[in-house]
Amino acid sequence: RPDGQIRRLVLDQYGIDAPAGLCVSNTEGLIYVGSGYSDPAWPDTTEVLGLCTADLSVGRRVRIRGMQVVTGMAVHPRRELVWVIGVGFGDRPLMPSAWGPAFYRPYLAVIEPGQAEVDAVPLTGTETTGESDLALPTSIVWTGF
């Protein structure tokens, strides 16, 4: 805070065990953080939490179907869209091979104002991406208006 006070918030009480993709929406007054942990209780989804900048209370929760781990987020500053990238897992091998196909796929989700659930879109192996070699997206940055 501007007065020098520091407030610590333990995120695992909200189901965010490995925080990832922190970003701030000034227009909404929310700090967005995603889960970098694949929760066995929700095997095909992940969650993004919006914490109020005033008091760190939970202002918004959004479940993303198809994505299991968030790796990065960015906010469109005027439209209040939250762009989320991450991965979803197929069958996880006991010992992954560096020469075999990846056991995970990259995904993108766009969260619009008021949405509580969204679907993630795969970034590889689709009509628009073809055989893209994007493997593990680690960050996303908003660069324009």
Side-chain angles (χ1 to χ4, degrees):
R1 295 174 41 133
D3 62 6
Q5 289 184 343
I6 297 172
R7 178 162 178 211
R8 181 173 182 254
L9 180 65
V10 180
L11 294 171
D12 62 356
Q13 66 181 326
Y14 301 114
I16 307 293
D17 293 320
L22 181 73
C23 66
V24 177
S25 172
N26 290 324
T27 55
E28 293 178 290
L30 294 175
I31 302 166
Y32 284 101
V33 63
S35 179
Y37 170 74
S38 180
D39 188 346
W42 296 90
D44 295 322
T45 66
T46 191
E47 190 168 59
V48 169
L49 198 64
L51 302 169
C52 295
T53 55
D55 60 4
L56 297 179
S57 63
V58 176
R60 187 174 185 194
R61 285 182 179 271
V62 181
R63 184 145 309 272
I64 302 175
R65 293 182 297 265
M67 184 186 298
Q68 291 172 288
V69 172
V70 172
T71 57
M73 290 192 291
V75 174
H76 186 297
R78 292 188 184 166
R79 295 188 55 209
E80 299 177 12
L81 299 174
V82 181
W83 294 79
V84 183
I85 57 169
V87 295
F89 301 105
D91 294 326
R92 295 187 204 182
L94 189 56
M95 179 60 81
S97 167
W99 298 273
F103 61 92
Y104 53 85
R105 290 180 69 187
Y107 285 90
L108 172 71
V110 180
I111 303 170
E112 296 184 21
Q115 288 183 308
E117 289 191 18
V118 298
D119 290 317
V121 177
L123 295 176
T124 58
T126 67
E127 288 180 22
T128 56
T129 60
E131 291 301 318
S132 168
D133 62 355
L134 179 64
L136 181 61
T138 56
S139 67
I140 185 170
V141 177
W142 181 258
T143 61
F145 286 92

